Amino acid sequence: MFKFKIDIPLGWELCKLTDIAHVTFSGVDKKSESGEVQVKLCNYTDVFYNRYIHNNLNFMKATASTSEVEKCSLKKGDVVFTKDSETPEEIGICASVEEHLSNVICGYHLGIIRPINNKVYGSYLSIVLNFHPVHYQFVRLANGVTRFGLNLSAMNMIMVPIPPQTKQMEIVDAIRNWDYAIEKTGKLIEGKRLRHVALANKLLSRKSSTVPLKKFLKLTLRDAAKPDIPYWALGIRSHGKGTFRRFVENPNTVAMDTLYRVRHDDLIVNITFAWEGAIAFVDRADEDCFVSHRFPTFEVDRNNALPEYLRHVIVQKRFIRNLGLISPGGAGRNRVLNKTDFLNLKISLPEVKEQEKIGDVLNTSLWEISLLETKLELFKKQKRGLMQKLLTGEWRVKAG
């Protein structure tokens, strides 16, 4: 049986969760039934994507019975957690209720942890239960095969390190600063992404001549014998997410004898998943990679078109939709791109100088988003490190 172990500082206690809090599971679904009470429903995604539950969240409207309202209404100081999910790692994700909520109840696949005996603050519980060594208890205690969940017996085995209440709030205040920075940066990224989509739609839909891809794309297959030593293969992510490298340690596991080399700024497409947006340009760092016959490569005639411009065209919803139209068949591997029809696809193509300007503007926009994403990951990393120091007592928050 799994037994939780953690070193705690002098003056802290290691407590069973159910000794310091009351745990309730919700069964309230999203349906609205006549004769029931109108409520606002705190759903799984509200908890999974937010560390704090407050009135500004866009809660779903639903109905619940009187007994469900009494049992599952959320109160300030509660901790809401995910009790069911498709993976064990997504169970036990917690969010704290930061203020009085008006007519909000806990939804299905969630549970409520409500502190008792004035021993612990809900805001601290939410933080410490999300701390990896503590949260791992949820992962280990989850049951299931294709879907995982917790029962009340499992909740009775969760152990939590509890400092004195004054230390709890000092820890909460420190972590909140990082949560605020993470939330603010996340919102900036969301706004920048929306702005980029609008900017791309505006710049790429300007009136200009419409030409088929074959005017500037040339199918170029650089066949090569399969290496007899380990090599890098290049794959393409769907939904316009670019390429990825895959290390083939044992070439004998690859049935094909002939592979194909790629070059910087080649356009490559996965003919079986083109309908899903599996198309990309090759980065300079990937010139040493190989692809199979399912990834035809095309060179761009720079006298007529620039890869810096086309990179933005191929991820547009309109372009990906057209790829689907020329990939007949059922789902998955049965939908194979017709290469002739692909070269006959038409796009709006301005003069080369205008392409260069548009590419520069959109690349700058993406660069700004990338900087914010790097900043966000740094904040998250700093928060994890801070939690490690504070929740093990290695660091102490200085009052004032």
Side-chain angles (χ1 to χ4, degrees), residues 77-263:
D78 284 349
V79 177
V80 194
F81 69 99
T82 58
K83 77 174 187 69
D84 303 303
S85 190
E86 294 178 355
T87 66
E89 291 75 18
E90 293 178 346
I91 289 177
I93 303 299
C94 297
S96 64
V97 179
E98 292 293 290
E99 59 187 2
H100 171 72
L101 300 177
S102 177
N103 198 33
V104 178
I105 68 172
C106 178
Y108 197 52
H109 300 307
L110 298 174
I112 305 171
I113 300 172
R114 183 165 293 160
I116 55 178
N117 301 330
N118 296 319
K119 192 177 186 69
V120 63
Y121 292 110
S123 50
Y124 169 79
L125 260 184
S126 179
I127 289 172
V128 75
L129 290 174
N130 282 328
F131 178 43
H132 176 72
V134 180
H135 175 258
Y136 190 62
Q137 296 176 90
F138 291 108
V139 178
R140 290 295 301 270
L141 294 169
N143 290 312
V145 179
T146 59
R147 189 167 186 86
F148 298 84
L150 294 168
N151 54 37
L152 289 174
S153 297
M155 299 301 295
N156 198 44
M157 299 173 64
I158 302 293
M159 303 297 294
V160 187
I162 304 296
Q165 285 190 312
T166 53
K167 294 298 180 186
Q168 291 178 35
M169 290 313 299
E170 289 171 358
I171 291 171
V172 168
D173 290 341
I175 297 299
R176 273 179 176 161
N177 289 331
W178 262 259
D179 282 334
Y180 173 75
I182 290 169
E183 181 183 11
K184 184 178 180 181
T185 306
K187 288 181 178 179
L188 281 173
I189 292 172
E190 184 179 354
K192 288 281 188 181
R193 284 174 177 166
L194 290 173
R195 175 183 174 274
H196 178 80
V197 170
L199 186 62
N201 286 337
K202 179 180 179 180
L203 294 178
L204 298 174
S205 61
R206 286 180 174 178
K207 286 187 176 180
S208 56
S209 59
T210 302
V211 301
L213 299 184
K214 62 184 178 184
K215 181 175 180 180
F216 54 84
L217 286 185
K218 178 184 178 183
L219 180 64
T220 305
L221 303 178
R222 307 178 191 91
D223 57 300
K226 180 179 65 177
D228 54 8
I229 60 175
Y231 66 91
W232 287 99
L234 193 65
I236 311 175
R237 294 186 177 91
S238 295
H239 312 297
K241 300 296 184 180
T243 59
F244 64 93
R245 294 163 64 100
R246 178 174 59 85
F247 188 64
V248 181
E249 188 170 0
N250 182 5
N252 292 329
T253 61
V254 178
M256 295 162 287
D257 293 324
T258 301
L259 298 175
Y260 300 87
R261 292 186 176 275
V262 297
R263 293 287 180 265

Side-chain angles (χ1 to χ4, degrees), residues 24-25 28 36-37 64-73 105:
T24 302
F25 290 163
V28 183
E36 291 189 331
V37 181
S65 67
T66 303
S67 61
E68 288 173 331
V69 172
E70 183 177 345
K71 175 185 176 183
C72 298
S73 288
I105 68 172

Side-chain angles (χ1 to χ4, degrees), residues 203-204 206-209 211 215-216 300-310 312-313 347-361 363:
L203 294 178
L204 298 174
R206 286 180 174 178
K207 286 187 176 180
S208 56
S209 59
V211 301
K215 181 175 180 180
F216 54 84
V300 179
D301 177 6
R302 283 183 167 271
N303 292 319
N304 291 300
L306 299 179
E308 294 79 8
Y309 172 81
L310 297 173
H312 302 285
V313 173
I347 65 167
S348 177
L349 193 69
E351 295 296 325
V352 170
K353 287 186 178 180
E354 182 67 14
Q355 293 179 45
E356 186 175 7
K357 292 178 182 178
I358 292 173
D360 286 344
V361 170
N363 285 338

Side-chain angles (χ1 to χ4, degrees), residues 29 31-38 62-64:
D29 59 31
K31 297 178 182 178
S32 293
E33 303 286 350
S34 60
E36 291 189 331
V37 181
Q38 294 285 332
T63 65

Side-chain angles (χ1 to χ4, degrees), residues 43-54:
N43 281 317
Y44 185 96
T45 53
D46 296 322
V47 175
F48 192 83
Y49 292 109
N50 297 283
R51 298 285 64 83
Y52 304 101
I53 304 298
H54 46 76

Side-chain angles (χ1 to χ4, degrees), residues 266-324:
D266 277 352
L267 178 65
I268 57 173
V269 56
N270 183 336
I271 60 173
T272 54
F273 288 99
W275 59 274
E276 204 174 44
I279 183 170
F281 277 91
V282 177
D283 293 328
R284 189 178 299 280
D286 295 327
E287 280 198 331
D288 60 336
C289 293
F290 293 86
V291 294
S292 75
H293 65 284
R294 292 185 177 274
F295 294 73
T297 57
F298 299 87
E299 283 187 315
V300 179
D301 177 6
R302 283 183 167 271
N303 292 319
N304 291 300
L306 299 179
E308 294 79 8
Y309 172 81
L310 297 173
R311 286 175 188 270
H312 302 285
V313 173
I314 63 174
V315 298
Q316 294 297 296
K317 289 183 178 180
R318 179 173 60 253
F319 187 84
I320 294 175
R321 184 170 59 249
N322 287 337
L323 292 179

